[in-house]
Amino acid sequence: QVHLVESGGGLVQPGGSLRLSCAASGSIARFYVMGWYRQVPGKQRELVATITSARSTNYADAVKGRFTISRDSRKNTVYLQMNSLKPEDTAVYYCNADVVDRATLLRDDYWGRGTQVTVSS
């Protein structure tokens, strides 16, 4: 299986910035889409941003103009640069990968364990 590890979360004041990283372990045979989702207690998980193998991006309306998703294919890592953070951005952020595992040659969706982002003064 593909193992995803998120990092970079923490406590930040409103207006501040954080950069999240999602590293995929092992080798990926083919990359289709990776993205970031977030979830708060009592609410369903929601899309934040996605990026394709062609570097086409998609953002939730709530984060457009503030967040930027990018990737480093050589490191099998996806990043989420978050600027102008607001209290409503507080959530657990999860990395998702739609990839083919080289070990199995199967395409599937994989999830990380999540990293907490708290925006508070």
Side-chain angles (χ1 to χ4, degrees):
Q1 65 173 1
V2 175
H3 184 216
L4 305 179
V5 179
E6 303 99 334
S7 62
L11 175 64
V12 65
Q13 295 190 59
S17 298
L18 285 174
R19 189 193 192 204
L20 305 184
S21 298
C22 173
S25 66
S27 297
I28 295 174
R30 186 170 183 179
F31 167 84
Y32 288 94
V33 183
M34 292 186 71
W36 289 94
Y37 294 73
R38 65 187 182 187
Q39 187 171 27
V40 299
K43 299 185 68 175
Q44 68 180 32
R45 190 171 299 183
E46 65 179 17
L47 171 71
V48 176
T50 60
I51 186 167
T52 70
S53 60
R55 289 185 166 82
S56 176
T57 58
N58 180 52
Y59 296 93
D61 288 342
V63 306
K64 286 182 178 179
R66 300 188 298 119
F67 291 9
T68 302
I69 188 170
S70 61
R71 70 179 181 92
D72 184 337
S73 60
R74 293 190 298 179
K75 296 180 179 180
N76 288 329
T77 301
V78 172
Y79 305 94
L80 184 68
Q81 179 66 46
M82 304 185 294
N83 298 325
S84 302
L85 283 162
K86 305 175 181 179
E88 50 263 44
D89 294 319
T90 296
V92 176
Y93 284 70
Y94 296 91
C95 180
N96 173 260
D98 176 7
V99 298
V100 173
D101 184 355
R102 181 169 292 173
T104 64
L105 298 182
L106 298 176
R107 180 179 178 178
D108 204 353
D109 288 320
Y110 299 89
W111 292 91
R113 297 291 182 88
T115 184
Q116 177 71 47
V117 172
T118 302
V119 185
S120 177
S121 58

